[in-house]
Amino acid sequence: MEKRTLLQYLLLTLKGMAMGAADLVPGVSGGTIALIAGIYEELITSINQIKPALFITWRKEGFSVFWKKLNGNFLLSIFAGIFISIFSLAKLISWLLTNQPILLWSFFFGLVLASIILVGKSIKKWNYGVVLVLLLGTLVAYFITILPPAENTASFPFLFLSGALAVCAMILPGVSGAFILVLLGSYKTVLDAVHERDFKIVITVALGAIFGLLSFARLLKWMFKNYKNSTLALLTGFILGSLNKIWPWKKVLEYRDYGDKVIPIKEKNISPFIFDGDPQLSYAIVIALTGFLLIFILERIASKNNSSSSAT
């Protein structure tokens, strides 16, 4: 793993914060941000290092060797940023979702739209197989966004599975972990368990999440190593298919109460010209363009930094 300066680790923490902010929005994935930020493959590779053999290394060769093989500074920076963002921005994101949903969704719509172009550009060789995988990823992600949510389920094996699937979704571009929990009918159970400090449920879901994260990281690493172009096409398709979920103008057909939270579980995308209320069209376009351009500005800055690092 590459050596980094303190400033570079600070930038990694900021990228982690961006991932955490995205994960707070149902329908937006932190994995999308990681892919845009150019840290996705390193994140998957580093998570993949967490295995029993690594802890034997710690016992035999000491903590410093263990930490280096883990790429610990990188993971610590990213996950510190995610947790900082979740704890500091949760109320702001929640307020924006309630009071300014069109503008918030517009920003993420522009950002995700730009990320499709950016990630698509990294596909080195296009052929019929790659296009087919892209279409498959798009259809799968779109299908997930229109699935009806299941009824609340509280069995421990199912909660373990829910934790595994939700965390996979969190690191998979285009799919939201919170949205997966809603679809599986586990969202209320998990939310209530956190509020009521029901550690049996919390630990069950956490163990499922750890299992899912480590298993899925291995699969993704194998895919990147053996089928990089097709994997990038699949991830691009996931992001493309998720645009259906984050279209700013919606008509809510059905709500569901989750304690003190009311979440729309069935929505229909509509034109801003028939939106029931102020469509905020001008502001939405400006904010969407801001999100769109922000991605390319960040890419340009990252390219310059990489070029200067290579030169030195």
Side-chain angles (χ1 to χ4, degrees):
M1 303 298 174
E2 64 178 287
K3 286 187 176 181
R4 290 185 168 97
T5 64
L6 184 62
L7 178 60
Q8 287 172 320
Y9 282 117
L10 179 61
L11 288 172
L12 282 175
T13 303
L14 291 174
K15 289 177 180 180
M17 289 180 68
M19 288 174 65
D23 278 323
L24 287 168
V25 181
V28 183
S29 167
T32 303
I33 304 300
L35 204 55
I36 295 166
I39 57 172
Y40 191 78
E41 281 191 70
E42 186 175 356
L43 178 62
I44 296 303
T45 301
S46 300
I47 292 171
N48 199 48
Q49 293 300 320
I50 305 171
K51 46 193 171 187
L54 189 65
F55 295 95
I56 294 171
T57 300
W58 185 356
R59 185 167 57 85
K60 289 184 175 179
E61 301 181 49
F63 181 78
S64 60
V65 177
F66 158 85
W67 191 251
K68 187 176 180 181
K69 283 192 175 181
L70 177 65
N71 199 14
N73 289 340
F74 170 83
L75 286 177
L76 181 63
S77 301
I78 295 298
F79 282 102
I82 289 172
F83 285 114
I84 289 168
S85 191
I86 286 171
F87 287 109
S88 62
L89 296 178
K91 284 188 177 178
L92 174 62
I93 297 291
S94 182
W95 184 87
L96 288 170
L97 279 168
T98 304
N99 297 280
Q100 295 292 345
I102 291 175
L103 301 185
L104 181 66
W105 289 121
S106 295
F107 175 77
F108 277 107
F109 191 88
L111 187 141
V112 170
L113 192 62
S115 72
I116 294 166
I117 300 169
L118 191 63
V119 178
K121 276 168 58 180
S122 61
I123 298 170
K124 302 297 183 187
K125 186 179 179 182
W126 286 91
N127 54 44
Y128 289 116
V130 170
V131 173
L132 191 63
V133 171
L134 173 69
L135 292 174
L136 178 65
T138 304
L139 289 172
V140 168
Y142 176 81
F143 182 68
I144 289 172
T145 67
I146 61 172
L147 278 175
E151 291 301 317
N152 199 47
T153 309
S155 73
F156 284 102
F158 190 79
L159 288 171
F160 181 89
L161 178 64
S162 297
L165 292 174
V167 81
C168 289
M170 284 180 71
I171 62 170
L172 194 64
V175 186
S176 160
F179 184 61
I180 292 297
L181 287 178
V182 171
L183 287 180
L184 293 171
S186 307
Y187 187 85
K188 186 178 189 303
T189 303
V190 175
L191 201 65
D192 289 346
V194 172
H195 287 319
E196 295 165 13
R197 293 179 173 80
D198 187 334
F199 292 111
K200 283 185 181 178
I201 290 177
V202 172
I203 290 170
T204 300
V205 175
L207 288 173
I210 293 168
F211 173 79
L213 185 64
L214 298 180
S215 305
F216 198 57
R218 279 161 176 70
L219 174 62
L220 281 172
K221 185 183 178 185
W222 178 84
M223 288 172 66
F224 268 110
K225 184 178 179 181
N226 295 283
Y227 303 100
K228 186 168 183 176
N229 264 353
S230 296
T231 302
L232 286 169
L234 185 67
L235 298 180
T236 305
F238 283 146
I239 302 171
L240 181 60
S242 73
L243 285 176
N244 175 63
K245 179 64 182 171
I246 56 176
W247 176 251
W249 297 277
K250 303 175 183 295
K251 181 179 180 181
V252 180
L253 304 175
E254 187 180 345
Y255 287 98
R256 188 172 290 176
D257 292 329
Y258 293 99
D260 58 345
K261 290 191 176 184
V262 180
I263 292 182
I265 59 166
K266 191 175 180 183
E267 298 172 310
K268 178 184 176 184
N269 289 337
I270 59 173
S271 163
F273 302 107
I274 59 169
F275 183 74
D276 185 15
D278 182 4
Q280 299 175 280
L281 188 57
S282 300
Y283 290 116
I285 291 170
V286 169
I287 288 178
L289 282 172
T290 302
F292 186 89
L293 293 172
L294 180 64
I295 294 303
F296 291 101
I297 292 167
L298 292 174
E299 187 213 7
R300 183 64 60 87
I301 293 169
S303 297
K304 284 184 178 178
N305 286 341
N306 290 337
S307 299
S308 59
S309 298
S310 302
T312 55

